């Protein structure tokens, strides 16, 4: 079963806000000068910000903010965020891999940016809604 | 310089307690656009049976990222931070994090390897309350890019 796609717009302002909230001030997430000096095309989103947005999608599908039992991803491709008002967009889809007898649902999640997968092995286990 | 495989299995002393504040949960939830009332309103969280506002699933990384400096900055292990790339991240929850929790992290090095000139480091952080109640186990895998 496929779950309805969710999209998340990501701008530079979002990265600055996430840096402050999370305490991850690595300059590759806010300085083009530093990002390009280490070989990146430009400022990239925090992997953990992408993971947090995908986590939002998972809790939406679960229908409850406390339903996630297990959640893991591999970061495979950076999400480049241009310095304009549009930023970029991450699209998240998932399919149900398994529903266990004890009421757990295992999801296989796909996150893409500009048509390319940015995560692999993205899996979440959620408890059924109460 | 390859990472020293003899570090596999090493556990570090527990970190100083991290006090989870209600406003920090609200700030983090706002930063990721999580609008569910249970992240913001204690009454909404209590209606779900929780003592206070509920943290979003990746919130524990605030605590574990700070705690993992114990490993990444361990001079004996010798990780070159400028070559460090976050490869994988995983959380296994016993329960969500709530405002009011005082969390302690215990770091363990689960795996150290070198392949294709790159170093790989897998850490496990057991996050529990100061009272010893397990909350979430967090794994991170880092790639230390080779000099090639």
């Amino acid at each position: 079963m496929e779950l309805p796609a969710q999209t998340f717009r990501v701008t530079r302002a979002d990265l600055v806000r996430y840096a402050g909230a999370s305490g991850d001030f690595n300059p590759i997430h806010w300085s083009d000068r530093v990002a390009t000096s280490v070989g990146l095309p430009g400022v990239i989103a925090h992997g953990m910000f992408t993971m947090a947005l995908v986590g939002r999608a998972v809790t939406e599908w679960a229908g409850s903010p406390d339903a996630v039992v297990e959640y893991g991803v591999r970061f495979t491709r950076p999400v480049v965020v241009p310095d304009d008002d549009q930023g970029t967009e991450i699209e998240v889809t998932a399919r149900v891999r398994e529903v266990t007898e004890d009421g757990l649902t295992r999801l296989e999640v796909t996150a893409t940016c500009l048509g390319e997968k940015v995560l692999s092995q993205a899996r979440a286990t959620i408890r059924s809604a109460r | 310089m390859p990472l020293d495989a003899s570090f596999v299995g090493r556990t570090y002393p527990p970190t100083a307690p991290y006090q989870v504040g209600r406003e920090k949960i609200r700030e983090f939830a706002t930063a990721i656009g999580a609008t569910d009332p249970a992240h913001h309103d204690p009454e909404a969280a209590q209606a779900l049976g929780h003592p206070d506002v509920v943290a979003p699933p990746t919130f524990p990384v605030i605590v574990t990222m700070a705690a993992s400096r114990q490993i990444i900055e361990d001079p004996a292990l010798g990780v070159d931070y400028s070559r460090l790339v976050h490869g994988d991240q995983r959380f296994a929850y016993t329960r969500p994090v709530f405002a009011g929790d005082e969390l302690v992290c215990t770091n363990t090095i689960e795996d150290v390897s070198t392949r294709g000139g790159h170093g790989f480091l897998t850490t496990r952080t057991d996050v529990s309350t100061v009272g010893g109640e397990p909350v979430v186990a967090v794994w991170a895998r880092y790639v230390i890019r080779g000099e090639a």
Side-chain angles (χ1 to χ4, degrees), chain A residues 7-29:
Chain A
T7 58
F8 301 92
R9 184 149 295 284
V10 179
T11 65
R12 289 285 176 95
D14 295 322
L15 302 188
V16 172
R17 197 175 292 113
Y18 183 79
S22 70
D24 183 346
F25 294 103
N26 189 327
I28 63 171
H29 305 306

Side-chain angles (χ1 to χ4, degrees), chain B residues 35-114:
Chain B
T35 55
D36 192 291
H39 301 309
H40 300 274
D41 175 4
E43 283 183 17
Q46 282 153 12
L48 294 175
H50 303 313
D52 206 317
V53 294
V54 182
T58 62
F59 180 90
V61 78
I62 296 176
V63 188
T64 61
M65 192 177 66
S68 69
R69 294 174 60 178
Q70 234 182 358
I71 296 175
I72 289 164
E73 296 177 4
D74 180 348
L77 181 62
V79 170
D80 180 350
Y81 182 75
S82 71
R83 299 187 167 276
L84 189 80
V85 178
H86 193 178
D88 296 50
Q89 182 74 33
R90 185 160 68 91
F91 302 87
Y93 309 88
T94 304
R95 65 157 172 84
V97 170
F98 309 125
D101 278 338
E102 281 193 78
L103 301 177
V104 172
C105 295
T106 305
N107 284 314
T108 302
I109 297 182
E110 279 210 339
D111 191 42
V112 169
S113 62
T114 305

Side-chain angles (χ1 to χ4, degrees), chain A residues 14 17-18 20-24 26 38 48-49 51-53 55-56 59-60 64-66 68-76 121 127 130, chain B residues 24 27-28 30-34 36 38-39 48 50 54-58 61-62 65 81 86-93 96 139 141 145:
Chain A
D14 295 322
R17 197 175 292 113
Y18 183 79
S22 70
D24 183 346
N26 189 327
V38 298
M48 287 307 304
F49 183 54
M51 188 173 185
L53 296 177
R56 255 179 73 194
T59 54
E60 283 287 323
S64 180
D66 60 355
V68 183
V69 175
E70 190 161 358
Y71 176 32
V73 306
R74 172 164 292 178
F75 305 105
T76 50
Q121 300 177 32
R127 268 188 288 105
R130 282 175 285 192
Chain B
K24 192 66 191 176
E27 179 191 10
F28 186 85
T30 300
I32 67 168
D36 192 291
H39 301 309
L48 294 175
H50 303 313
V54 182
T58 62
V61 78
I62 296 176
M65 192 177 66
Y81 182 75
H86 193 178
D88 296 50
Q89 182 74 33
R90 185 160 68 91
F91 302 87
Y93 309 88
W139 289 263
R141 185 168 176 268
R145 290 177 297 137

